[in-house]
């Protein structure tokens, strides 16, 4: 647990270090712009000064004052500022976003993330679950008939699909099923407001094309992995023994062998569940899916530090928690690794 | 795992169909890279993002070979650069005549025609452009005088088919045609049959005559462009760029990125893991904790932040990819070196007082080499697709456009919605084929290294 917490903090520190200086420059420019527009909008202020020099000095003092209020006079790497930022993050207070606002109009980072996160989880978790179910059964099937047509088709499909970028297949799918044959919408963002009762239905309909794409590219390599684990296990002595006793092949595969292949499979499942959230950035960009990935990308292009930190935090927490859960499950399925007592 | 000699690996590898297929594809890709480097100079490729360089190419033209499958031939874009030059002098009038002859047999009209030239003269020469059609009719297109100059001057100009003077000249010759020319553009008239407004197939000769008095006229650059809707082997994109150039040059770039990233991250991971495993105890613990930290970083988000804030140069990007690539390999090679460490000969070497570095390099690393080769081959596609993904998001190096960037542009200009398949398909297919070559090689090696998978 200590390591995981350390990792989380290091990740956040690196993120702040990378975007901090750019962010400061952008914020300072924003303040200068703000002060200048306020003054030009109110001619009375300009008239109350006798010389240009005096006026410029006033503007500069206004700018300095605001910079000081926001604490921007100290560099981003000053212990004080980093300390405050980290402390706030620990309390799950990510502050307000600089540019991006949520669909409901809030600029609180927490609101924005809570709005986008369920959509990403909806799409990618559904996809990962479908992939793993298809993958496990296909893998078990092809491992029971090594060298058969099913096995060869699965293996070659796995190898071929693993070298295609998902987002490119996404473009092709949009090209084929959204424009050439107009079955699914091209943009995955539903065009009705979130308050509409039909929103869920629209969201699911818009989700179909990305879902099909992700599943299509994903299940092959899953099946291949499961097959390889199973082939290894099927050569173990206890399976041989069960075969000689005369237990039916199907029962051996789906109860005994699969249970023994479970630890690595569960680990991969946990890792790919959280990994899919990180990989969502490009896929969401292609399908224009309004989730975390697109939020992250938008935040980086406009350098919205609070959002970047918040999203990195969420992504890292998900990843760490799933590593932790994977470890626990590994111990549950495979008692040999339970050590330390 | 440890008892396979290089010869055995080679033999086994040559037996595997997959390995052969992978090597063949790789050889073809290397061939393409060499062709690209030799035939297309790097300077041309670096003009990729300079719209001025591509001005004489057509917009979103379909590949030429599509015509093979079409009954109605799509007009090809023609850039004629080698005119038939004749010089005549009559008294003090000098006539320089450039003639462009070509065969036009398409069922549609060309989209336009442009004459592009630069000439060196003094005085004010007269330029006359005429066309002789397959049916023998000669049409006057334009007569214009070049800007006057007392001394020698160089003048460059483009004469477009949309020029109002051409339109006017053609309407003066409307008695040749059986239909009204009012709403037709110049190219629809010049390339039309006289009875109906359909394209007339056959040999056309465009001739440009420059008359000058008492002075020489040199036309060092003379180019006639017949605008069409098909061009090159791979077509062009919205910004008129020849996609063949981008695709060809993408090959060496992708191979460079993939191979450099894979080799260096595997070497790094291998040495790191072996050292940690060999040293054991505190060193191992600290090194593996550091490994865990890197492992837990979200890779893609970090790559995006790095390329936005630090640099998007292709070489820096290679470095970033390396930073995240070595982690998994370090883990595996650590556990492998833990096993090898316990063998007798390592103990013996240790007792003989050999240096740590020597034991690692001479006794442990060679044992891991088969595994290392397999991991290099397997990690190449990941590096290529990650780079392509970053480029696709628009974070790539603009001075070295890759396949990912071509796809990025395709996405920006809505190629999918407009049905521009030749802009979307080839770059992705190239990425996939390159990945496939290395996956094949990697899998073939993997089967040899892990004999368990064979059955």
């Amino acid at each position: 647990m200590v390591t995981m917490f350390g990792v989380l903090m290091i990740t956040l520190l690196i993120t702040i270090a990378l975007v901090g200086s750019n962010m400061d420059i952008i914020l300072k420019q924003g303040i200068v712009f703000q002060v200048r527009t306020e003054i030009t909008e109110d001619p009375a202020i300009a008239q109350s000064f006798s010389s240009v020099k005096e006026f410029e000095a006033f503007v500069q003092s206004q700018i300095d004052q605001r910079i000081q209020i926001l604490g921007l006079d100290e560099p981003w790497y000053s212990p004080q500022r980093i300390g405050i930022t980290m402390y706030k993050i620990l309390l799950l207070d990510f502050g307000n976003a600089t540019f991006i606002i949520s669909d409901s109009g809030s600029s609180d980072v927490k609101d924005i993330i809570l709005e986008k996160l369920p959509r990403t989880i909806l799409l990618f978790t559904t996809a990962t679950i479908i992939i793993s179910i298809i993958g496990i059964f296909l893998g078990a099937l092809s491992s029971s008939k090594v060298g058969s047509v099913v096995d060869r088709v699965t293996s070659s499909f796995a190898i071929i699909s693993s070298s295609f970028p998902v987002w490119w297949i996404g473009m092709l799918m949009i090209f084929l099923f959204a424009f050439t044959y107009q079955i699914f919408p091209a943009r995955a963002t539903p065009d009705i407001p979130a308050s509409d009762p039909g929103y869920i239905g629209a969201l699911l309909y818009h989700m179909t094309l990305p879902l099909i794409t992700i599943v299509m590219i994903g299940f092959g390599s899953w099946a291949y992995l499961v097959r390889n684990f199973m082939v290894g296990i099927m050569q173990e002595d206890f399976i041989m023994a069960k075969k000689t006793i005369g237990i039916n092949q199907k029962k051996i595969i789906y109860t005994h062998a699969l249970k023994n292949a479970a630890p690595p499979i569960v680990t991969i499942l946990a890792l790919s569940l959280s990994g899919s959230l990180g990989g969502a950035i490009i896929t969401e960009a292609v399908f224009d899916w309004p989730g975390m990935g697109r939020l992250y990308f938008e935040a980086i292009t406009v350098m919205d530090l609070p959002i970047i930190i918040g999203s990195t935090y969420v992504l890292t927490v998900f990843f760490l928690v799933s590593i932790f859960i994977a470890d626990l499950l590994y111990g549950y399925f495979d008692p040999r690794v339970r050590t330390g007592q | 795992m440890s008892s396979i000699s290089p010869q055995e690996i080679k033999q086994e590898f040559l037996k595997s169909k997959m390995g052969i297929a992978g090597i063949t594809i790789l050889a073809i890709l290397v061939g393409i890279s060499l062709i690209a480097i030799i035939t297309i100079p790097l300077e041309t490729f670096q003009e990729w993002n300079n719209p001025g360089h591509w001005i004489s190419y057509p917009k979103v033209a379909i590949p030429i070979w599509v015509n093979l499958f079409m009954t109605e031939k799509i007009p090809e874009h023609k850039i004629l650069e080698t005119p038939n030059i004749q010089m005549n002098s009559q008294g003090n009038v000098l006539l320089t005549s450039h003639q462009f002859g070509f065969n036009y047999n398409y069922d549609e009209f060309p989209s336009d025609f442009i004459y592009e030239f630069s000439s060196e003269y003094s005085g004010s020469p007269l330029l006359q452009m005429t066309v002789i059609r397959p049916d023998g009719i000669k049409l006057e297109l334009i007569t214009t005088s070049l800007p006057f100059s007392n001394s020698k001057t160089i003048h460059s100009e483009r004469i477009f088919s949309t020029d109002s003077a051409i339109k006017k000249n053609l309407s003066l010759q409307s008695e040749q045609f059986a239909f009204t020319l009012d709403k037709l553009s110049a190219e629809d008239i010049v390339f039309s049959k006289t009875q109906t407004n359909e394209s007339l197939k056959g040999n056309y000769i465009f001739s440009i005559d420059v008359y000058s008095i008492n002075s020489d006229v040199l036309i060092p650059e003379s180019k006639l462009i017949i605008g069409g809707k098909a061009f090159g082997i791979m077509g062009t994109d919205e910004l008129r760029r020849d996609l063949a150039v981008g695709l060809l040059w993408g090959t060496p770039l992708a191979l460079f990125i993939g191979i450099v990233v894979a080799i260096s991250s595997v070497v790094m991971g291998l040495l790191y893991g072996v050292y940690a495993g060999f040293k054991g105890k505190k060193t191992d613990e600290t090194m593996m904790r550091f490994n865990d930290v890197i492992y837990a970083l979200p890779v893609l988000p970090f790559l995006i932040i790095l390329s936005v804030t630090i640099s998007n140069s292709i070489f820096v990007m290679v470095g970033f990819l390396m930073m995240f690539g070595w982690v998994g390999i370090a883990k595996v090679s650590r556990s492998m070196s833990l096993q090898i460490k316990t063998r007798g000969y390592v103990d013996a070497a240790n007792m003989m007082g050999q240096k740590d570095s020597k034991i690692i390099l001479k006794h442990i690393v060679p044992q891991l080499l088969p595994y290392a080769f397999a991991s290099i081959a397997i990690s190449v596609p990941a590096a290529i697709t990650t780079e392509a993904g970053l480029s696709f998001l628009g974070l790539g190096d603009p001075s070295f456009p890759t396949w990912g960037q071509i796809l990025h542009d395709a996405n920006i200009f809505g190629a999918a919605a407009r049905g521009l398949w030749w802009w979307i398909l080839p770059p992705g297919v190239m990425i996939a084929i390159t990945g496939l070559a290395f996956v094949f090689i990697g899998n073939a090696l993997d089967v040899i290294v892990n004999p368990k998978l064979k059955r």
Side-chain angles (χ1 to χ4, degrees):
Chain A
M1 281 308 272
V2 178
T3 344
M4 278 167 51
F5 186 70
V7 167
L8 189 57
M9 288 298 113
I10 290 169
T11 313
L12 291 174
L13 266 179
I14 298 175
T15 318
I16 295 173
L18 281 172
V19 289
S21 56
N22 292 39
M23 189 58 213
D24 273 13
I25 294 167
I26 292 172
L27 278 182
K28 277 179 192 164
Q29 281 169 347
I31 290 170
V32 172
F33 182 73
Q34 205 183 348
V35 169
R36 297 241 175 231
T37 40
E38 271 173 32
I39 287 169
T40 44
E41 271 170 11
D42 189 357
I45 301 175
Q47 277 162 10
S48 63
F49 291 99
S50 49
S51 73
V52 179
K53 226 178 195 177
E54 215 175 303
F55 177 65
E56 280 299 319
F58 170 73
V59 172
Q60 195 54 45
S61 72
Q62 283 281 313
I63 292 170
D64 288 345
Q65 211 178 340
R66 290 194 193 190
I67 285 179
Q68 205 158 12
I69 290 170
L70 288 171
L72 289 174
D73 51 337
E74 287 193 56
W76 61 269
Y77 47 82
S78 74
Q80 203 186 342
R81 279 187 64 194
I82 288 194
I84 292 174
T85 319
M86 297 299 266
Y87 177 70
K88 275 190 180 167
I89 292 170
L90 281 184
L91 300 177
L92 291 180
D93 172 14
F94 302 117
N96 285 320
T98 329
F99 306 106
I100 294 171
I101 52 166
S102 73
D103 292 350
S104 55
S106 163
S107 74
D108 189 350
V109 174
K110 219 186 288 177
D111 287 350
I112 298 176
I113 289 180
L114 282 180
E115 187 185 78
K116 311 280 184 193
L117 190 61
R119 295 182 190 150
T120 297
I121 292 181
L122 176 69
L123 174 58
F124 286 88
T125 311
T126 322
T128 312
I129 290 170
I130 296 176
I131 286 172
S132 56
I133 292 171
I134 300 178
I136 288 170
F137 279 100
L138 213 57
L141 186 69
S142 49
S143 73
S144 68
K145 298 174 196 159
V146 175
S148 69
V149 181
V150 182
D151 181 28
R152 274 195 230 156
V153 170
T154 313
S155 300
S156 38
F157 185 78
I159 289 168
I160 291 170
S161 70
S162 68
S163 57
F164 283 92
V166 182
W167 43 271
W168 179 65
I169 298 292
M171 280 177 88
L172 287 188
M173 296 290 273
I174 292 176
F175 176 60
L176 273 178
F177 295 110
F179 292 107
T180 315
Y181 307 100
Q182 300 179 349
I183 305 170
F184 296 111
R187 288 187 71 221
T189 312
D191 32 21
I192 51 174
S195 49
D196 199 280
Y199 184 76
I200 306 268
L203 198 65
L204 289 177
Y205 173 56
H206 283 77
M207 199 176 91
T208 328
L209 198 57
L211 191 68
I212 293 174
T213 311
I214 301 169
V215 169
M216 215 174 74
I217 285 301
F219 81 89
S221 43
W222 253 90
Y224 192 59
L225 272 176
V226 173
R227 171 203 178 264
N228 284 354
F229 288 134
M230 294 285 281
V231 168
I233 287 165
M234 293 298 274
Q235 292 165 27
E236 301 264 348
D237 291 342
F238 70 93
I239 299 282
M240 292 294 172
K242 290 212 156 74
K243 267 188 196 162
T244 39
I245 298 170
I247 298 176
N248 137 352
Q249 166 104 1
K250 255 192 190 150
K251 205 180 168 191
I252 297 179
I253 289 176
Y254 289 107
T255 56
H256 305 286
L258 209 53
K259 196 186 161 197
N260 277 278
I265 291 175
V266 167
T267 317
I268 295 168
L269 179 62
L271 291 184
S272 62
L273 267 180
S274 62
S276 68
L277 296 184
I281 296 174
I282 305 177
T283 319
E284 286 189 4
V286 174
F287 288 105
D288 212 4
W289 180 253
M292 284 293 287
R294 218 184 67 180
L295 173 73
Y296 198 89
F297 183 61
E298 279 172 7
I300 286 170
T301 42
V302 298
M303 276 288 158
D304 198 327
L305 186 63
I307 299 248
I308 296 174
I309 292 181
S311 320
T312 315
Y313 184 86
V314 173
L315 283 178
T316 319
V317 165
F318 265 92
F319 190 62
L320 293 174
V321 166
S322 54
I323 291 179
F324 185 64
I325 293 175
D327 274 355
L328 285 185
L329 286 174
Y330 208 110
Y332 174 75
F333 282 109
D334 192 349
R336 283 173 296 184
V337 298
R338 255 182 265 166
T339 53
Q341 263 93 53
Chain B
M1 160 201 85
S2 52
S3 58
I4 309 172
S5 70
Q7 278 81 21
E8 278 173 336
I9 292 182
K10 201 176 148 197
Q11 269 178 4
E12 288 272 325
F13 188 80
L14 291 179
K15 265 187 224 158
S16 118
K17 274 184 206 152
M18 214 187 248
I20 300 279
I23 289 284
T24 318
I25 301 175
L26 184 60
I28 293 171
L29 288 173
V30 171
I32 292 178
S33 315
L34 288 178
I35 291 172
I37 293 169
I38 293 166
T39 58
I40 307 165
L42 187 60
E43 291 80 53
T44 317
F45 185 54
Q46 278 169 340
E47 296 284 312
W48 184 254
N49 285 322
N50 171 16
H53 183 80
W54 305 99
I55 194 84
S56 46
Y57 292 87
K59 239 181 195 182
V60 287
I62 205 165
I64 264 179
W65 46 264
V66 174
N67 267 337
L68 295 177
F69 310 104
M70 305 286 269
T71 44
E72 296 240 320
K73 302 289 181 214
I74 304 161
E76 279 173 29
H77 189 84
K78 289 186 178 156
I79 301 175
L80 305 164
E81 284 175 301
T82 47
N84 197 355
I85 303 171
Q86 282 171 357
M87 298 245 221
N88 280 318
S89 61
Q90 242 179 6
N92 52 7
V93 177
L94 180 77
L95 165 65
T96 314
S97 163
H98 281 203
Q99 288 190 326
F100 297 90
F102 60 92
N103 184 19
Y104 191 86
N105 54 11
Y106 307 105
D107 299 293
E108 278 177 59
F109 294 113
S111 51
D112 57 356
F113 58 86
I114 301 167
Y115 179 61
E116 195 182 333
F117 69 99
S118 78
S119 60
E120 200 181 326
Y121 62 89
S122 59
S124 177
L126 190 77
L127 185 145
Q128 191 181 37
M129 191 168 162
T130 51
V131 56
I132 300 166
R133 292 153 37 101
D135 53 7
I137 296 174
K138 187 174 176 184
L139 291 175
E140 301 268 330
L141 292 179
I142 195 167
T143 310
T144 176
S145 61
L146 301 179
F148 176 78
S149 158
N150 270 327
S151 54
K152 271 245 178 251
T153 181
I154 294 176
H155 175 74
S156 301
E157 197 182 323
R158 286 197 183 94
I159 298 174
F160 293 93
S161 57
T162 46
D163 199 314
S164 57
I166 294 182
K167 191 77 210 285
K168 206 172 164 192
N169 268 328
L170 284 170
S171 64
L172 291 175
Q173 300 163 71
S174 62
E175 77 276 2
Q176 309 264 20
F177 296 94
F179 46 90
T180 53
L181 307 180
D182 286 350
K183 283 183 180 140
L184 298 173
S185 55
E187 64 274 4
D188 288 6
I189 301 167
V190 171
F191 290 88
S192 170
K193 287 178 184 162
T194 49
Q195 295 307 311
T196 51
N197 192 18
E198 280 167 21
S199 82
L200 175 69
K201 297 177 187 180
N203 283 314
Y204 287 78
I205 298 167
F206 275 73
S207 70
I208 290 96
D209 302 327
V210 179
Y211 299 92
S212 61
I213 299 165
N214 283 333
S215 68
D216 283 350
V217 175
L218 285 174
I219 310 180
E221 244 181 83
S222 173
K223 219 195 258 182
L224 180 73
I225 298 159
I226 306 294
K229 296 179 184 83
F231 181 81
I233 323 170
M234 303 317 293
T236 60
D237 66 7
E238 179 74 21
L239 302 171
R240 300 167 186 271
R241 297 178 292 204
D242 186 357
L243 285 173
V245 172
L247 288 169
L248 274 178
W249 257 100
T251 321
L253 289 177
L255 289 180
F256 165 77
I257 294 168
I259 293 174
V260 169
V261 170
I263 290 182
S264 47
S265 49
V266 166
V267 169
M268 250 166 82
L270 193 75
L271 292 179
Y272 188 92
V274 167
Y275 186 77
F278 178 74
K279 275 286 181 184
K281 295 185 189 124
K282 269 271 161 65
T283 327
D284 182 28
E285 183 73 14
T286 348
M287 284 176 89
M288 281 300 119
R289 282 292 153 270
F290 178 66
N291 191 307
D292 284 346
V293 171
I294 306 266
Y295 184 70
L297 293 180
V299 178
L300 198 60
F302 259 89
L303 283 174
I304 293 175
I305 296 182
L306 284 169
S307 68
V308 171
T309 56
I310 295 182
S311 158
N312 61 1
S313 148
I314 209 165
F315 302 102
V316 181
M317 200 78 92
V318 164
F320 292 151
L321 287 169
M322 264 187 257
M323 266 165 41
F324 293 103
W326 59 274
V327 188
I329 290 136
K331 270 194 171 176
V332 180
S333 43
R334 169 185 170 262
S335 57
M336 282 178 155
S337 84
L338 280 179
Q339 285 173 17
I340 296 169
K341 197 173 87 171
T342 56
R343 302 237 170 100
Y345 58 87
V346 178
D347 268 344
N350 217 345
M351 251 183 273
M352 275 159 62
Q354 270 190 347
K355 269 190 271 173
D356 285 357
S357 57
K358 211 168 182 189
I359 299 178
I360 289 178
L361 290 179
K362 271 205 147 170
H363 298 290
I364 303 183
V365 170
Q367 306 280 327
L368 295 179
L369 278 186
Y371 162 73
F373 281 122
S375 353
I376 287 177
I378 289 172
S379 40
V380 169
I384 292 176
T385 39
T386 315
E387 195 282 329
L390 285 174
S391 296
F392 178 73
L393 290 176
L395 305 169
D397 189 341
S399 56
F400 291 99
T402 54
W403 295 324
Q405 275 181 56
I406 298 178
L407 285 171
H408 167 74
D409 293 340
N411 200 32
I412 293 237
F413 288 107
R418 294 159 61 192
L420 312 176
W421 52 267
W422 63 92
W423 197 359
I424 306 174
L425 269 179
V429 169
M430 289 303 278
I431 294 174
I433 286 179
T434 316
L436 214 55
F438 287 97
V439 171
F440 278 163
I441 297 172
N443 270 45
L445 282 173
D446 210 23
V447 172
I448 302 168
V449 182
N450 303 323
K452 245 190 179 179
L453 299 179
K454 223 183 281 179
R455 271 194 278 164

